Amino acid sequence: MIIVFLGKYASYVRDDGFLNFLEGTLLEKNYWWFTIFWSIGGTVFFAWYFQKILNSKISKRILKISLVMFLIISVLEIVFTFPKFFNTSLPFNKIASLMIILKCVFFYFLEVLQSDRILNFYKALGFYISCAILILWLIQTPLVFFEHYFNLEDADYVNLRNRINLIAISFMYITYTVGLIVSHPDYD
């Protein structure tokens, strides 16, 4: 919530907002902010979370190696496309993020299917988190390919994109809420 609130600074740059001194600079748009904190930070967080709930050492190792490769590739992409980093979303970064999330969810579901936890999967918070984040990432990733159509004057595209994001994010939070209510904690 704080990330989104702080990322909203770009709306105060336009129309003589109190941050209008940023107009014409690299910081005028907030793509860099959300790339760092959502595309990269969110991926790191979810990979860390799934490493904590997975039992398979092989799955944990694959996730760890994939995450290190993702971070290296993300930094290299930012370095080599530095001006683009401030003006638009980085498609390769979003796709790589999706691949990490897919691995996390795949390993979690595979582990659930291969154990007795399948009998009570609906009581596990990890199940709800996996479903919500998978659907969110699958919905939001293709939007990157239409990013070059994003223009504040194109009200139809802006409204469509905002509605898609609102529905996807609302679904994610509702699923998290249901998961927190329905799930039973595991005590060791």
Side-chain angles (χ1 to χ4, degrees):
M1 190 72 138
I2 293 170
I3 302 299
V4 174
F5 178 74
L6 293 175
K8 195 148 175 65
Y9 81 89
S11 63
Y12 299 114
V13 173
R14 296 183 302 274
D15 301 327
D16 294 328
F18 72 92
L19 294 176
N20 64 352
F21 63 89
L22 291 175
E23 197 165 346
T25 66
L26 289 175
L27 301 177
E28 179 179 13
K29 297 180 181 172
N30 57 6
Y31 290 107
W32 66 276
W33 180 262
F34 289 113
T35 297
I36 290 172
F37 285 105
W38 182 246
S39 293
I40 297 172
T43 304
V44 169
F45 172 77
F46 284 111
W48 170 81
Y49 171 76
F50 280 98
Q51 284 179 8
K52 294 294 180 191
I53 66 171
L54 289 173
N55 294 325
S56 169
K57 290 181 182 182
I58 295 171
S59 298
K60 287 181 178 186
R61 179 169 279 254
I62 291 171
L63 279 181
K64 196 175 286 187
I65 292 169
S66 298
L67 185 61
V68 169
M69 288 175 46
F70 167 75
L71 289 172
I72 291 169
I73 291 169
S74 294
V75 168
L76 289 174
E77 183 181 22
I78 290 170
V79 167
F80 289 122
T81 62
F82 192 70
K84 190 177 178 183
F85 170 66
F86 290 98
N87 294 323
T88 187
S89 294
L90 303 174
F92 184 77
N93 185 277
K94 289 291 269 190
I95 293 169
S97 294
L98 175 65
M99 293 299 129
I100 298 289
I101 296 300
L102 285 174
K103 281 182 190 176
C104 292
V105 173
F106 173 77
F107 289 145
Y108 175 76
F109 285 148
L110 184 66
E111 200 169 279
V112 168
L113 286 171
Q114 292 177 342
S115 69
D116 290 339
R117 292 188 300 173
I118 188 68
L119 300 172
N120 295 315
F121 71 92
Y122 58 90
K123 293 181 182 177
L125 180 60
F127 170 75
Y128 294 97
I129 290 174
S130 298
C131 290
I133 203 63
L134 176 66
I135 292 171
L136 177 75
W137 237 276
L138 284 174
I139 290 172
Q140 286 190 332
T141 300
L143 292 177
V144 173
F145 298 110
F146 298 102
E147 202 62 43
H148 62 277
Y149 295 116
F150 183 69
N151 186 350
L152 289 174
E153 287 79 36
D154 184 7
D156 292 335
Y157 175 73
V158 171
N159 288 334
L160 176 66
R161 185 174 150 225
N162 288 342
R163 284 187 184 137
I164 290 171
N165 282 327
L166 177 67
I167 291 168
I169 292 169
S170 298
F171 175 79
M172 179 186 71
Y173 285 127
I174 289 168
T175 306
Y176 286 171
T177 304
V178 169
L180 287 169
I181 293 169
V182 174
S183 67
H184 298 292
D186 294 329
Y187 295 108
D188 292 333

